[in-house]
Amino acid sequence: MRGFLASTIASSIGVSCAAALVLPLAPPATAAPTSPASPPGARSARPAALPNAPDAAVPGSTQSLALVPVARARARGPATAEQGLTRDDVRHFALVGVVWDDPDTPLHGRVQVRTRSTRDGAWSGWRDLETHNDDAADPGAAERASGRVRGSTAPLWVGESDGVDVRVRAERRHRTGGTARGARTGTAEGPLPSGLRLELVDPGDPPPNRAQGRGATEIPALTKAATEGELRTLSGVALTPRQRANPYIGPRPRIVTRRGWGADEKLRERGFVYTKKVKAAFVHHTVSGNGYQCSQAASVIRGIYRYHVRSMGWRDIGYNFLVDKCGTIYEGRAGGVAKPVLGAHTLGFNTNSMGIAVLGSFGSAKPPAAVLDAIARLTAWKLGLYAADPQGKTYLTSGGGNLYRKGKNVRLNVISGHRDGFATECPGRRLYSKLGTARSTAARYQGR
């Protein structure tokens, strides 16, 4: 079974040497390092000469449209206080987002879109985009400091569309200023970030599956006994006698590989970056909306992948794993599902952790039971590879963020929500409140 795991993981990320993917507990901190200035295989997220031209090299496309000042806003304040765009002549797309030049500049305001369906030509109502997109690489990391990263809203899945209307309005702020008659308080609209662009993403059809067979598109589930047996034979795993007798690991769940959801490997940077181990799992929601069918989940992931790489400037999709609302688990960032791949999901705490993103928005919507079980099954297995207790606590060193200063040793739940490491609403109030259930179920799957 060890050889099967290695070969299926290898086929899922296009690595020819299967032996290199057998789990090491302590790989080098950076494997196949890339240069921030010119990483191997990296391509510009937006070609300068033809910013809206489709990329013929890969399935799908991204249309990037500059927003313009709205005329009616000029009488109320600076032209930068409201921007927008209306287009009914764009190519098909299914996911939208707004980006801007500086990733460190927040967008204080409201972003809304409405879209025209290709199915019946009807326009949707106005929908809000989450302006505080808090999933990010660590400060100072090569991925963060590449010079290609942009500020962004969270993406929104809108379904097959061919028309769009977007408006971005700065929030009104209270300001106090001196006048000839004394201090006076009023309201004004602050400026919006520079370089606002609307990103229309067509996830495209998955590329042809060159490697036929079940192993190419999924890593099958194992029983607990088979998983324990596999763990004992994995190269680089130094188990104590007690761990060999009872390794406390959940049965490996079925995982749809990158090939299974149609990732085109030409989009991402080549090479992989690893940390030392996986001590914690951070749970997220993608805030991309709940209006997708589970049969569309692969398309949603391809859209997020393209948005993360082409629009936001990341080296790959940010999350290590994704889960749809039917409970299917998907491989995220490339590098090997059993390995400690460095992601871009929880700013300040990406090292020695993994990010699990549930497709959808769970501020007011209740997460399905299948989602909680999938989180429990995935963490019971992946954390078990590194002898981590899902109901336990661990320490991670902050890389810097809005909750903890850089270098601070922070005590966290082994299964945490994004908001535990960063001041954010993610993973939504309703999902966050259910993480205790996921912890206890994962511990039970591990045999604790």
Side-chain angles (χ1 to χ4, degrees):
M1 189 59 69
R2 166 185 167 187
F4 181 77
L5 174 62
S7 64
T8 54
I9 298 176
S11 67
S12 76
I13 59 175
V15 177
S16 59
C17 182
L21 291 179
V22 177
L23 171 70
L25 271 188
T30 55
T34 58
S35 166
S38 55
R43 301 173 62 181
S44 172
R46 185 183 299 115
L50 296 170
N52 300 325
D55 188 339
V58 295
S61 65
T62 300
Q63 301 170 77
S64 185
L65 310 173
L67 301 190
V68 297
V70 176
R72 64 178 178 270
R74 292 173 183 164
R76 299 201 312 267
T80 54
E82 183 174 346
Q83 296 185 33
L85 191 70
T86 299
R87 291 285 296 270
D88 59 3
D89 59 347
V90 294
R91 298 187 305 276
H92 288 191
F93 64 94
L95 182 138
V96 302
V98 170
V99 301
W100 54 93
D101 292 339
D102 186 357
D104 295 318
T105 297
L107 193 162
H108 295 294
R110 189 176 189 184
V111 180
Q112 293 181 299
V113 297
R114 64 188 189 109
T115 54
R116 185 178 62 193
S117 171
T118 59
R119 185 181 66 256
D120 56 13
W123 285 85
S124 70
W126 287 102
R127 287 176 280 190
D128 287 288
L129 273 63
E130 175 56 62
T131 59
H132 302 292
N133 190 8
D134 303 315
D135 305 323
D138 287 346
E143 183 170 4
R144 177 83 173 179
S146 67
R148 301 185 307 276
V149 180
R150 297 176 178 85
S152 67
T153 69
L156 178 68
W157 178 260
V158 296
E160 291 296 324
S161 306
D162 60 4
V164 65
D165 197 356
V166 59
R167 59 192 185 195
V168 182
R169 294 174 176 169
E171 68 181 15
R172 298 183 70 84
R173 302 184 189 180
H174 294 285
R175 293 183 180 178
T176 301
T179 69
R181 297 181 180 180
R184 179 172 295 178
T185 299
T187 60
E189 293 171 326
L192 293 168
S194 63
L196 285 169
R197 304 186 71 89
L198 174 67
E199 305 287 292
L200 305 177
V201 180
D202 171 14
D205 295 325
N209 186 3
R210 298 181 181 86
Q212 299 298 320
R214 187 169 119 183
T217 58
E218 69 175 56
I219 297 171
L222 290 180
T223 65
K224 182 171 173 57
T227 303
E228 291 174 354
E230 182 180 72
L231 176 63
R232 296 185 182 99
T233 62
L234 285 175
S235 174
V237 178
L239 300 178
T240 66
R242 183 175 180 180
Q243 286 175 312
R244 286 186 176 279
N246 191 348
Y248 290 121
I249 185 170
R252 189 182 73 201
R254 172 182 174 267
I255 302 172
V256 176
T257 64
R258 290 173 62 92
R259 184 180 293 274
W261 56 259
D264 194 296
E265 304 301 346
K266 292 186 292 292
L267 276 177
R268 66 172 177 84
E269 292 182 13
R270 292 198 293 265
F272 316 112
V273 182
Y274 300 104
T275 59
K276 292 183 178 180
K277 59 181 66 175
V278 178
K279 299 173 64 177
F282 287 98
V283 177
H284 305 252
H285 64 165
T286 59
V287 208
S288 51
N290 301 323
Y292 69 93
Q293 303 297 319
C294 289
S295 59
Q296 297 176 304
S299 293
V300 176
I301 296 172
R302 289 198 303 277
I304 294 173
Y305 173 41
R306 177 174 280 274
Y307 186 70
H308 280 185
V309 176
R310 285 288 195 246
S311 301
M312 296 173 60
W314 292 358
R315 70 190 315 273
D316 193 354
I317 193 169
Y319 311 113
N320 298 104
F321 296 92
L322 301 100
V323 176
D324 69 24
K325 60 187 177 183
C326 290
T328 301
I329 300 168
Y330 301 84
E331 176 185 13
R333 178 161 289 205
V337 295
K339 299 180 80 173
V341 178
L342 178 68
H345 50 84
T346 305
L347 189 147
F349 291 100
N350 290 301
T351 298
N352 294 335
S353 72
M354 69 174 182
I356 304 169
V358 182
L359 298 179
S361 305
F362 298 99
S364 58
K366 180 181 178 181
V371 164
L372 300 176
D373 187 63
I375 293 171
R377 287 184 288 114
L378 176 58
T379 53
W381 170 71
K382 184 63 181 277
L383 293 172
L385 292 173
Y386 298 88
D389 180 355
Q391 290 187 297
K393 303 281 187 178
T394 191
Y395 283 91
L396 293 178
T397 302
S398 172
N402 62 5
L403 273 183
Y404 302 102
R405 60 173 174 77
K406 183 176 182 179
K408 182 174 177 59
N409 207 24
V410 182
R411 189 169 185 255
L412 295 161
N413 288 312
V414 168
I415 299 179
S416 287
H418 184 183
R419 65 175 64 182
D420 294 321
F422 194 88
T424 174
E425 294 297 315
C426 185
R429 175 177 57 86
R430 300 293 297 273
L431 178 54
Y432 185 77
S433 68
K434 293 293 185 181
L435 292 186
T437 300
R439 294 182 191 108
S440 58
T441 305
R444 186 172 71 251
Y445 281 138
Q446 283 191 347
R448 294 183 184 271

